[in-house]
Amino acid sequence: MPGMHGMPGMHGMPGMHGMNGRGQPAPPRPERFDLFPEGTPVRVQNIQSQPELNGSVAVVDTYLEERERYQVTLQSGGNTISLRPENMQQIVQNVRLVGIQNNPDLNGQTGMIVGVDESSGRYQLQLDNRVVKISPEKVLLPGGTVVTLVGIRSRPELNGRRGRVIEFKEDSGRYSVQLSESDVKDLKPENVRA
């Protein structure tokens, strides 16, 4: 329109540097210690709508925050599906057996958690060519394992929270579990579940 050469006094607003396309990038999101990292192997479980997928092995691609689901790729066929966290069981490799009294030759052996027996709460561990059921407190989890906190009487508000194992401290017999950037708890083996 003739005579409209701009609005006087509007030479930019101080502090609005991001508005001109030269602003600072958004800060990175804080790391989530309660999520399975990319590449984590999982077993599909408890799917009602497609029961034929139950028992399938998949690998985590990413967590879809807005849908509160994981995108995973099935090992057989390579199809990509999205799953709620409760429809996945983490497959944990390089676990070590300790404190087994009724079958002491198992102590020190390493294996892989391939499932959980829901009725007994025991891990299903693959040792060489056989699968055995072992109570969780007899299985040492490696660093990086995502765990759920259970059975904590002194701080019941922690039960149900998830975090990532940093390490197992042999001297204290406890796991260091990272719940957030600034929150690390030392927990007894009976208080964590993979």
Side-chain angles (χ1 to χ4, degrees):
M1 296 174 70
M4 303 260 327
H5 300 286
M7 297 177 67
M10 298 295 286
H11 300 289
M13 296 173 63
M16 297 295 288
H17 303 289
M19 299 299 288
N20 65 6
R22 296 183 301 216
Q24 298 295 317
R29 288 185 182 167
E31 184 174 355
R32 298 268 313 260
F33 297 96
D34 60 331
L35 299 176
F36 297 130
E38 178 181 323
T40 301
V42 296
R43 185 170 307 279
V44 178
Q45 64 182 14
N46 304 324
I47 294 183
Q48 305 292 324
S49 62
Q50 293 181 291
E52 68 276 5
L53 293 178
N54 292 329
S56 298
V57 174
V59 174
V60 171
D61 296 326
T62 190
Y63 182 70
L64 307 169
E65 192 109 23
E66 66 283 353
R67 296 185 60 207
E68 296 181 348
R69 291 174 181 250
Y70 287 91
Q71 180 175 305
V72 301
T73 300
L74 295 170
Q75 193 174 44
S76 62
N79 293 337
T80 300
I81 60 173
S82 65
L83 296 172
R84 294 188 303 244
E86 59 267 24
N87 295 125
M88 302 174 4
Q89 169 63 49
Q90 176 179 202
I91 296 173
V92 184
Q93 300 177 24
N94 301 316
V95 300
R96 187 166 47 98
L97 302 180
V98 295
I100 298 173
Q101 296 176 356
N102 63 350
N103 198 349
D105 59 322
L106 291 177
N107 290 317
Q109 289 193 29
T110 59
M112 176 170 50
I113 297 174
V114 294
V116 175
D117 180 348
E118 296 296 330
S119 63
S120 68
R122 293 174 177 247
Y123 292 138
Q124 296 172 339
L125 284 171
Q126 184 171 341
L127 300 173
D128 298 322
N129 295 326
R130 61 187 170 141
V131 174
V132 296
K133 294 178 185 175
I134 305 285
S135 58
E137 57 273 6
K138 307 289 185 191
V139 178
L140 293 185
L141 304 169
T145 304
V146 176
V147 295
T148 302
L149 309 189
V150 298
I152 302 172
R153 292 189 184 122
S154 62
R155 302 261 328 263
E157 70 276 9
L158 292 175
N159 293 322
R161 288 199 51 198
R162 292 166 55 106
R164 193 173 304 150
V165 171
I166 298 171
E167 66 179 336
F168 181 75
K169 297 178 178 179
E170 297 277 349
D171 58 337
S172 67
R174 293 177 182 249
Y175 288 103
S176 285
V177 177
Q178 184 131 28
L179 301 176
S180 71
E181 238 3 274
S182 60
D183 191 7
V184 176
K185 302 289 185 224
D186 286 344
L187 301 164
K188 296 176 187 174
E190 59 264 25
N191 296 129
V192 301
R193 294 291 180 273

